[in-house]
Amino acid sequence: PGNVKGSCYLLLASFFGAVMGALIKYVGQRINVFEILFIRQLFVLLFVFPVILANLRTVFQTNIFRFHLLRSVFSTIAMTAGFTALIHMPLAEVTAISFVRTLFATLLAIIFFREIVGLRRWITTIVGFLGVLIVVRPDSDNINYYAFLAIFSAFFVACITLILKKLSRVDRPSTIIGYQSIFILNFLLGPAIFFWVHPSILDIIYISVIGCLMSMLQWLLINAFKVGDVGAIAPMEYTRLIFSTIIGAIFFSEIPSLWTGLGAIIIIGSSFYTVRRNLILRKERGTKDIQQ
C-alpha cells in the first residue's frame, strides 16, 4: 500500500539524515563547515550533472530567476547555520530544534500569504516555541549561541519550503535542481578557499558519503510524499530524533537530559498537529471549490 511504502521511504530518509548529521559532526571537528559544504556540494553536482546535461537547452530557462537566486541564498544560510550547530551541539538537541520549521512555516504563511489561522493553531504554535525554550533553556549567564544558529537554520528552511512551492508550480524539477546546485557551489567557493584546510583521504571519503546521503535523502523524501498521504506518513519523519539520540549516545557519548526529551515531545507534538490541521483545512478548501 502507498502509505506503507511512503512510511518506509520516510523511515529510511530519517535514518540517513541522522547518519549524515553524525558524519558532519565528526568531520567538523577538523575541517571548517564551509569546506565541508563545498566538497559535499561538488559531489551533489556530480550526481545531478547528468540531469542538467540531458536538459541543457531548456534547463536554465525561467521567468522567476530571482526566486531561484533567493532559494539558493537561503539554502546556503540554512546549511551553514545548521551544520555549525550540529558540530557544536548534541545531535538530539539540534534534531529536536529542526522540527520547529513547521511552526515557522505557519507564521510565514500568515505574514506573506495572509492565511487565516484559528485559535487552536495559534496556541499550538506558541506551545511549540515554548518547547524550543525548554530544549535550549536560555540563561543570561551562559547563552548557547549555537542553539540560536539551529533555530536560525530552521527559520530559513521554512522560508525555502514556501519558495519551493512557488518554484514547483512554474518550473520543472531539473531547472530547480540545476540552479540550486550551481548557485550554492559558487556561494561557498570564496569562504571555502579562505578557511581551507588540506583534507585527508579519509575526510574526503566521509564528505563524499555525506553528499551521497544528501542526494539519497532528497530522493527518498520526494518519493515518500509522492506515494503516501502526508497525514499518514508524516509521523515517521520524527523517528530521526530517535536515530540521532542513539547515534549521539553511542559515538559521541551524548546522553539527552530530561529537559531535552520534554522539549522534543512538545515540539514534535505541536508540529505534527500543525501538519494534520493544515491537511484537514486544505481538504475542506478543496471540497468547497468542487461544490462551487
Side-chain angles (χ1 to χ4, degrees):
N3 285 337
V4 175
K5 191 183 294 183
S7 295
C8 290
Y9 282 143
L10 209 52
L11 184 67
L12 196 56
S14 298
F15 176 70
F16 283 166
V19 173
M20 186 180 70
L23 287 173
I24 292 165
K25 186 178 184 68
Y26 178 71
V27 178
Q29 307 303 316
R30 299 178 302 281
I31 297 178
N32 184 271
V33 67
F34 288 110
E35 185 176 344
I36 296 173
L37 282 168
F38 180 75
I39 299 174
R40 191 218 69 159
Q41 197 62 30
L42 280 175
F43 282 98
V44 171
L45 187 60
L46 285 175
F47 274 101
V48 302
F49 186 72
V51 177
I52 296 174
L53 196 61
N55 302 275
L56 193 58
R57 291 185 178 180
T58 58
V59 71
F60 295 114
Q61 292 179 1
T62 180
N63 294 320
I64 49 173
F65 175 83
R66 63 187 183 280
F67 284 99
H68 289 284
L69 180 61
L70 192 62
R71 188 207 175 196
S72 300
V73 170
F74 285 177
S75 294
T76 305
I77 295 171
M79 288 190 296
T80 304
F83 279 28
T84 303
L86 270 173
I87 292 167
H88 296 281
M89 286 180 65
L91 285 173
E93 288 188 18
V94 179
T95 303
I97 293 172
S98 71
F99 293 130
V100 81
R101 63 184 182 270
T102 305
L103 306 179
F104 275 128
T106 298
L107 295 178
L108 289 169
I110 295 169
I111 296 170
F112 292 104
F113 299 115
R114 297 184 180 180
E115 184 176 316
I116 298 173
V117 175
L119 181 61
R120 282 182 291 180
R121 277 202 291 171
W122 269 117
I123 293 172
T124 304
T125 303
I126 293 169
V127 169
F129 283 111
L130 288 176
V132 175
L133 291 178
I134 292 173
V135 173
V136 176
R137 298 187 306 283
D139 186 348
S140 58
D141 296 326
N142 186 25
I143 299 175
N144 189 345
Y145 293 102
Y146 295 114
F148 286 102
L149 276 180
I151 297 170
F152 194 62
S153 175
F155 170 77
F156 277 99
V157 169
C159 293
I160 293 164
T161 302
L162 295 181
I163 294 173
L164 191 56
K165 286 182 180 180
K166 170 72 173 178
L167 290 172
S168 60
R169 290 174 188 153
V170 179
D171 287 334
R172 295 172 301 170
S174 58
T175 302
I176 297 170
I177 293 170
Y179 272 115
Q180 182 187 6
S181 301
I182 292 173
F183 274 145
I184 292 177
L185 193 67
N186 280 279
F187 292 155
L188 293 168
L189 178 61
I193 292 173
F194 184 80
F195 292 104
W196 190 265
V197 176
H198 188 64
S200 66
I201 298 297
L202 194 58
D203 287 331
I204 293 176
I205 292 172
Y206 283 139
I207 297 172
S208 67
V209 172
I210 291 170
C212 293
L213 287 173
M214 175 60 77
S215 299
M216 294 170 70
L217 183 66
Q218 294 297 324
W219 184 88
L220 286 166
L221 288 172
I222 290 169
N223 281 277
F225 291 108
K226 182 179 179 180
V227 301
D229 181 69
V230 176
I233 71 174
M236 299 307 295
E237 187 178 6
Y238 300 120
T239 57
R240 185 157 59 94
L241 180 59
I242 298 172
F243 293 131
S244 296
T245 302
I246 294 170
I247 292 172
I250 294 173
F251 294 100
F252 301 102
S253 301
E254 297 172 348
I255 307 300
S257 66
L258 181 62
W259 292 111
T260 300
L262 177 61
I265 290 170
I266 294 173
I267 294 169
I268 289 174
S270 57
S271 299
F272 178 61
Y273 176 83
T274 301
V275 171
R276 293 284 294 180
R277 188 63 185 162
N278 288 343
L279 186 65
I280 291 169
L281 292 174
R282 198 176 299 123
K283 286 182 177 179
E284 288 178 354
R285 291 194 199 101
T287 303
K288 288 180 180 178
D289 290 340
I290 292 172
Q291 290 175 348
Q292 290 174 355

